[in-house]
């Protein structure tokens, strides 16, 4: 092909959510932004398979809230797509476990569950819920038990690095590893995930007096990465940059944005887009034409 094939395709398939997290703004638009039609989701999955894109993720909102989500899984299975990531808060995993099991067993999907604290009160505060932690932990333990019977089941965790959870992050890593989680990825706080280019701070931002604790935590996570290179998904360089991120001292030479190059985001509104602007239309353009366009080069 005359164009670069991305490593990761993220499909934002719904803004509906069963939580109203304090670290997320997507749920606020659920009433005003209609879900992308499954016809176009299937179109993108077909094109991604044809282009041999290695990693595909379904994000939201909460993807398991879509009434047609199992039809989407069936289509992915028909295409022989494997390890289609489903990014979820974990609340519905237990409820739908029997329906999810066939797709987990044949590796059509792998679930990626958000867990921000081992402390019930803190996780629930972040998630603005009285039950989120309990449901998420039930789902994790259920997946852990299933994996003992069916080792090929792939389930993963994403944790946001926050001012309030710094001290416990190494223990959280040890815990999820002990229950058989395939991988753990740490992410920094994105204060506005609707306008990703915006850099405002919130009550969860790591404050200056906590920077020394942040540094110790990142050093411990880096040591864990060296001991478990496949388990911790972040690179060592990525972890080191977290210190500069929360200090506001990142410079362009530290990291190059690879949006529209290694990572393609298909938005729930029917566009391929970066944080700043769209560069393609899901409904009227084939992905290979988008990848070969002047607009993506400009993006």
């Amino acid at each position: 092909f005359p164009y670069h094939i991305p490593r990761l395709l993220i499909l934002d398939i719904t803004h509906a959510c069963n939580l109203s997290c304090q670290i997320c703004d997507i749920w606020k638009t659920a009433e005003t932004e209609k879900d992308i039609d499954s016809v176009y989701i299937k179109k993108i999955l077909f094109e991604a398979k044809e282009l041999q894109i290695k990693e595909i993720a379904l994000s939201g909102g909460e993807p398991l809230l879509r009434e047609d989500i199992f039809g989407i899984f069936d289509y992915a299975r028909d295409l022989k797509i494997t390890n289609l990531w489903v990014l979820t808060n974990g609340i519905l995993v237990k409820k739908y476990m029997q329906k999810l099991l066939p797709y987990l067993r044949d590796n059509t999907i792998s679930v990626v569950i958000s867990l921000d604290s081992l402390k019930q009160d803190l996780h629930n505060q972040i998630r603005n819920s009285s039950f989120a932690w309990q449901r998420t932990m039930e789902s994790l333990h259920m997946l852990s038990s299933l994996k003992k019977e069916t080792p090929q089941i792939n389930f993963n965790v994403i944790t946001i690095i926050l001012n309030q959870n710094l001290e416990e992050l190494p223990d959280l890593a040890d815990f999820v590893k002990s229950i058989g989680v395939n991988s753990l990825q740490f992410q920094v706080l994105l204060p506005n995930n609707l306008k990703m280019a915006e850099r405002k701070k919130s009550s969860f931002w790591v404050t200056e007096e906590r920077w020394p604790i942040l540094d110790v935590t990142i050093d411990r996570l880096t040591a864990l990465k060296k001991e478990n290179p496949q388990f911790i998904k972040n690179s060592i360089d990525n972890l080191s940059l977290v210190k500069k991120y929360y200090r506001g001292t990142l410079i362009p030479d530290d990291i190059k944005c690879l949006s529209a190059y290694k990572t393609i985001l298909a938005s729930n509104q029917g566009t391929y887009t970066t944080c700043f602007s769209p560069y393609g239309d899901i409904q009227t353009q084939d992905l290979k034409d988008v990848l070969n366009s002047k607009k993506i080069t400009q993006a």
Side-chain angles (χ1 to χ4, degrees):
F1 300 102
Y3 41 79
H4 180 82
I5 303 299
R7 175 185 59 81
L8 170 63
L9 170 66
I10 303 172
L11 307 184
D12 175 16
I13 63 170
T14 184
H15 283 195
C17 197
N18 45 9
L19 292 177
S20 53
C21 301
Q22 296 194 56
I23 57 173
C24 178
D25 295 297
I26 287 175
W27 59 272
K28 298 175 183 177
T29 64
E31 297 298 322
T32 57
E33 295 196 6
K34 186 181 177 182
D35 288 351
I36 186 171
D37 194 286
S38 63
V39 169
Y40 299 111
I41 297 173
K42 292 175 181 178
K43 174 180 183 288
I44 298 168
L45 289 175
F46 177 84
E47 293 170 341
K49 177 68 176 182
E50 193 174 46
L51 293 170
Q52 299 179 33
I53 294 174
K54 302 295 184 187
E55 300 176 17
I56 309 171
L58 302 181
S59 73
E62 174 50 58
L64 295 179
L65 283 175
R66 280 192 66 119
E67 294 181 357
D68 56 2
I69 191 64
F70 292 98
I72 293 169
F73 295 164
D74 285 334
Y75 187 75
R77 175 190 276 161
D78 291 343
L79 292 175
K80 294 182 168 56
I81 289 173
T82 57
N83 284 324
L84 176 68
W85 300 354
V86 183
L87 278 57
T88 172
N89 55 40
I91 289 174
L92 292 173
V93 170
K94 181 182 178 182
K95 176 181 178 181
Y96 291 141
M97 184 57 74
Q98 291 307 309
K99 295 180 74 173
L100 289 168
L101 259 179
Y103 307 102
L104 288 165
R105 282 181 171 144
D106 67 11
N107 287 128
T108 298
I109 66 168
S110 60
V111 292
V112 185
I113 295 177
S114 297
L115 178 67
D116 294 321
S117 179
L118 295 176
K119 301 171 184 174
Q120 177 176 318
D121 290 348
L122 178 55
H123 183 88
N124 283 346
Q125 176 195 350
I126 296 164
R127 299 290 161 183
N128 201 21
S129 165
S130 61
F131 59 81
W133 186 88
Q134 298 91 312
R135 301 270 180 88
T136 298
M137 293 297 282
E138 285 174 354
S139 296
L140 285 169
H141 284 295
M142 182 174 281
L143 286 163
S144 176
S145 296
L146 286 167
K147 188 166 185 174
K148 291 173 184 175
E149 304 166 11
T150 315
Q152 72 267 24
I153 284 178
N154 189 325
F155 72 115
N156 310 271
V157 166
I158 285 181
T159 298
I160 311 297
I161 299 171
L162 304 167
N163 197 50
Q164 291 82 352
N165 69 0
L166 291 178
E167 288 89 346
E168 66 171 300
L169 294 181
D171 290 337
L172 187 148
D174 288 340
F175 164 73
V176 297
K177 189 172 188 297
S178 74
I179 64 170
V181 165
N182 289 69
S183 73
L184 171 62
Q185 181 169 336
F186 292 100
Q187 293 186 347
V188 292
L189 177 65
L190 190 59
N192 188 341
N193 52 7
L194 284 176
K195 298 178 180 177
M196 290 180 282
E198 186 177 297
R199 286 294 180 265
K200 65 181 182 181
K201 295 183 180 179
S202 75
S203 60
F204 295 98
W205 191 266
V206 178
T207 54
E208 183 173 354
E209 64 271 16
R210 302 266 291 161
W211 290 347
I213 298 169
L214 172 68
D215 293 349
V216 170
T217 296
I218 295 301
D219 290 345
R220 289 183 64 188
L221 296 179
T222 301
L224 279 171
K225 168 68 178 179
K226 291 176 180 177
E227 295 167 11
N228 307 274
Q230 301 305 314
F231 173 65
I232 304 288
K233 288 202 72 170
N234 308 69
S235 68
I236 290 173
D237 285 344
N238 176 270
L239 287 170
S240 71
L241 290 173
V242 173
K243 298 177 182 180
K244 298 183 76 172
Y245 178 83
Y246 281 113
R247 284 170 166 82
T249 58
L250 281 173
I251 59 174
D253 285 343
D254 286 326
I255 191 165
K256 302 298 182 187
C257 178
L258 298 176
S259 179
Y261 181 67
K262 283 192 174 180
T263 302
I264 301 291
L265 172 62
S267 80
N268 198 38
Q269 298 309 294
T271 60
Y272 293 104
T273 185
T274 66
C275 299
F276 298 95
S277 59
Y279 53 80
D281 188 287
I282 292 163
Q283 301 178 49
T284 62
Q285 292 177 280
D286 290 339
L287 179 54
K288 62 182 180 181
D289 295 328
V290 172
L291 295 174
N292 200 28
S293 67
K294 290 183 178 178
K295 274 193 171 184
I296 198 171
T297 304
Q298 292 165 352

